[in-house]
Amino acid sequence: MIPFSILDLAPVIVGGTPRDSFHRSLDLAKHAEQWGYHRYWLAEHHNMPGIASSATSLVISHVASGTEKIRVGSGGIMLPNHAPLVIAEQFGTLESLYPGRIDLGLGRAPGSDQLTARALRRGLGGDGHDFPEMLNELRGYLDPSLESAVPGVRAVPGEGLNIPIWLLGSSGFSAQLAGQLGLPFAFASHFAPDYLLPALELYRGSFRPSEALDKPYAMVGINIIAADTDEEAQRLVTSLQQQFLNIIRGRRGLLNPPVDSLEPLWTPQEKAYVDQQLSYSIVGNRDTVREKLRILQQQTEADEWIIAAQIFDYEARLKSYQIVAEVMKATNSAS
């Protein structure tokens, strides 16, 4: 039985607002709970008009307050943007409000451009190189037995609470660190596919059992755009492709509606780059999704999938996640 989860980037579409995105995030989470999804994670991004989840802890609380049992968390909090004590207190508050349902996924990237990172980190002095030390301090606030917090400082709420910590990454750094610390690991192949298999191998090879885990647990992030037909899914994915195309060109904007063809919009070199960045993405009908997931499972031996779906039309987005849930349930039942 392979759990399946949702990574929600809280997309802001052309013609929409962040308020609309938050309303849809909660609605999607309610559906996800009914469809059997295990987790619902939100990601920290800044200075990106098309992503509304910059105040990630607040959006997590919004989603958790409107659901009953699905785990809700961060995929992830970019720890170098914050003082560890602040994150311990924020997630201690969330765990106190929604006990047994909160995950703390942590990354070391800025989740933004360098100028925004400097604005966020003013006074913190971190650029990600001290991530292991910040992580150690944060863990010490939650578990005083580690004796790694600032002496005499306590996280209230937070201290003594069981808040699962995940490390997230798109390279080998966090994979190896997660293995050495015996923590669960999530790889971001939905936007950085190149190092997926080596990172999983590094994580599993460096894993040391801990109080958190007795064996490795790897979650793999992928884009899945599902529809009733392959043709419809291929059209829906053009919104995601346009998003990556804009990133190449240094543009930040809202999520665009799908188009019939991207050929007039990109060069062959840009197309090749986007195709490479989305090489682990699955686009198609139920049968296509089922078969490509089967192949990916053989390649990665993932313990859990976390699925992103940047789809412009909300009803089509809902339908995509429903199809994935149906495929996953059928696959799990047959295995």
Side-chain angles (χ1 to χ4, degrees), residues 55-305:
T56 315
S57 299
L58 292 178
V59 188
I60 289 171
S61 186
H62 170 63
V63 169
S65 69
T67 51
E68 297 178 1
K69 59 183 180 181
I70 193 169
R71 297 194 65 87
V72 188
S74 57
I77 291 289
M78 302 298 108
L79 186 56
N81 293 340
H82 311 275
L85 177 61
V86 171
I87 298 305
E89 291 172 339
Q90 288 181 0
F91 277 77
T93 300
L94 288 167
E95 175 63 22
S96 299
L97 288 169
Y98 315 106
R101 296 180 55 206
I102 300 299
D103 296 323
L104 175 51
L106 298 169
R108 69 184 183 103
S112 62
D113 57 275
Q114 291 186 354
L115 184 63
T116 306
R118 284 197 293 271
L120 284 165
R121 299 175 180 186
R122 186 174 299 159
L124 293 176
D127 61 2
H129 73 280
D130 55 352
F131 177 77
E133 291 77 17
M134 296 183 74
L135 172 62
N136 198 35
E137 182 182 337
L138 169 57
R139 296 180 72 203
Y141 290 124
L142 300 177
D143 181 1
S145 71
L146 297 176
E147 299 182 348
S148 55
V150 174
V153 179
R154 301 172 64 185
V156 182
E159 183 178 289
L161 296 180
N162 181 22
I163 305 170
I165 291 179
W166 291 68
L167 295 194
L168 318 179
S170 57
S171 67
F173 182 92
S174 291
Q176 186 169 30
L177 183 61
Q180 292 170 345
L181 296 176
L183 296 175
F185 175 63
F187 190 88
S189 53
H190 59 291
F191 70 84
D194 291 347
Y195 206 71
L196 170 60
L197 299 181
L200 293 177
E201 182 178 0
L202 182 59
Y203 169 60
R204 291 165 178 149
S206 62
F207 186 84
R208 302 171 185 168
S210 68
E211 290 186 6
L213 283 179
D214 59 2
K215 60 182 181 179
Y217 192 96
M219 180 160 61
V220 176
I222 52 173
N223 300 298
I224 301 183
I225 309 295
D228 287 329
T229 67
D230 284 344
E231 293 75 18
E232 182 182 359
Q234 290 293 340
R235 187 173 191 277
L236 292 176
V237 79
T238 59
S239 294
L240 177 61
Q241 291 169 324
Q242 289 177 77
Q243 189 174 57
F244 273 82
L245 180 60
N246 285 333
I247 291 171
I248 296 171
R249 296 174 175 176
R251 300 174 184 171
R252 294 182 179 85
L254 307 181
L255 187 67
N256 287 310
V259 294
D260 292 330
S261 173
L262 280 166
E263 293 309 315
L265 302 180
W266 58 13
T267 67
Q269 294 79 12
E270 289 171 332
K271 180 182 185 302
Y273 179 84
V274 172
D275 287 346
Q276 172 59 30
Q277 294 305 103
L278 299 178
S279 58
Y280 279 112
S281 299
I282 296 175
V283 182
N285 64 19
R286 287 169 176 80
D287 292 337
T288 301
V289 170
R290 182 182 300 108
E291 177 60 16
K292 291 191 175 181
L293 265 176
R294 183 189 66 79
I295 294 170
L296 267 182
Q297 180 61 40
Q298 290 180 340
Q299 292 175 334
T300 65
E301 298 181 343
D303 297 295
E304 185 171 342
W305 299 109

